């Protein structure tokens, strides 16, 4: 349960103001069909994050050395710094709108999430916990917690929430995870 909650909270906070959240707002204003958009976000995120958690777990199994664990911890600390840099949706992002809201959302979210902070965080969580399904479920729930309100409330949500504060909270969480892992490495049980 701890892994699920940690994965959910970390991604939910990190996702606020992220480019995929901005994409959710854009898709909502374009299609005006919340349910297919939400279903597309869920499908894309579950597939993307399941692969990411599996990749992290597989890499950690291959590289079970202390050096790899230090690299994961440093990765969390780097994610803290990266989280402080605001995202913008790429100007050249073309949505396949001819195929409907669900397909357009699924494709767009899957592609935009590639190499995104939350995907990298999911890889790191998979490497740290080796619980692919729990991490993928938690990070997917975190994405839904952040993006469903964005679909329904759109631009009004962005006006009310201080993204600077949210980014600082997310950065603090990543920093804490990285430092905690380094501390665990220096103080073996």
């Amino acid at each position: 349960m701890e892994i699920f909650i940690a994965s959910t909270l970390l991604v939910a906070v990190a996702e606020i103001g992220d480019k995929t959240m901005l994409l959710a707002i854009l898709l909502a204003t374009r299609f005006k069909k919340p349910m297919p958009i939400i279903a597309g976000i869920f499908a894309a995120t579950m597939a993307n994050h399941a692969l990411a958690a599996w990749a992290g777990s597989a890499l950690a199994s291959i590289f079970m050395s202390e050096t790899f664990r230090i690299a994961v911890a440093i990765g969390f600390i780097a994610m803290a710094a990266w989280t402080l840099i605001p995202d913008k949706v790429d100007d050249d992002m073309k949505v396949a709108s001819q195929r409907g809201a669900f397909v357009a959302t699924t494709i767009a979210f899957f592609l935009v999430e590639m190499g995104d902070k939350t995907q990298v965080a999911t890889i790191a969580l998979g490497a740290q916990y080796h619980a692919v399904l729990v991490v993928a479920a938690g990070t997917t729930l975190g994405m839904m917690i952040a993006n469903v309100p964005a679909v329904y409330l759109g631009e009004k949500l962005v006006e009310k929430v201080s993204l600077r504060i949210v980014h600082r909270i997310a950065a603090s969480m990543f920093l804490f995870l990285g430092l905690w892992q380094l501390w665990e490495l220096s103080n073996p049980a």
Side-chain angles (χ1 to χ4, degrees):
M1 191 65 164
E2 173 188 329
I3 297 167
F4 179 79
I5 292 170
S7 298
T8 300
L9 289 175
L10 186 67
V11 169
V13 173
E15 179 63 14
I16 296 174
D18 193 67
K19 66 185 170 198
T20 46
M21 183 183 215
L22 299 174
L23 178 61
I25 293 168
L26 290 174
L27 290 166
T29 57
R30 179 175 186 150
F31 288 110
K32 296 178 182 23
K33 295 179 179 178
M35 291 311 294
I37 293 168
I38 291 167
I41 292 169
F42 178 79
T45 302
M46 194 65 205
N48 190 297
H49 285 206
L51 289 171
W54 173 80
S57 181
L59 288 172
S61 295
I62 293 169
F63 303 106
M64 284 300 292
S65 70
E66 188 170 310
T67 304
F68 183 75
R69 292 179 65 204
I70 291 170
V72 169
I74 291 170
F76 276 122
I77 294 168
M79 290 297 299
W82 189 10
T83 300
L84 295 173
I85 302 168
D87 281 326
K88 294 183 177 125
V89 177
D90 298 331
D91 293 331
D92 60 346
M93 183 66 188
K94 303 292 183 216
V95 178
S97 61
Q98 301 87 346
R99 299 195 178 178
F102 174 77
V103 173
T105 301
T106 303
I107 293 169
F109 256 78
F110 189 87
L111 294 175
V112 169
E113 188 64 12
M114 298 301 286
D116 194 52
K117 291 182 284 240
T118 51
Q119 186 193 44
V120 175
T122 303
I123 292 169
L125 289 164
Q128 182 175 356
Y129 293 120
H130 299 283
V132 173
L133 294 178
V134 177
V135 167
T139 58
T140 298
L141 179 60
M143 289 284 285
M144 300 309 289
I145 288 169
N147 286 305
V148 169
V151 170
Y152 282 110
L153 303 175
E155 295 173 16
K156 293 177 187 169
L157 179 69
V158 176
E159 292 172 6
K160 301 283 184 202
V161 177
S162 169
L163 295 181
R164 178 180 287 178
I165 291 171
V166 172
H167 286 173
R168 287 181 180 169
I169 292 169
S172 298
M173 292 171 72
F174 281 120
L175 181 61
F176 172 76
L177 282 172
L179 294 175
W180 180 22
Q181 183 144 356
L182 288 174
W183 181 81
E184 282 184 336
L185 286 168
S186 65
N187 297 304

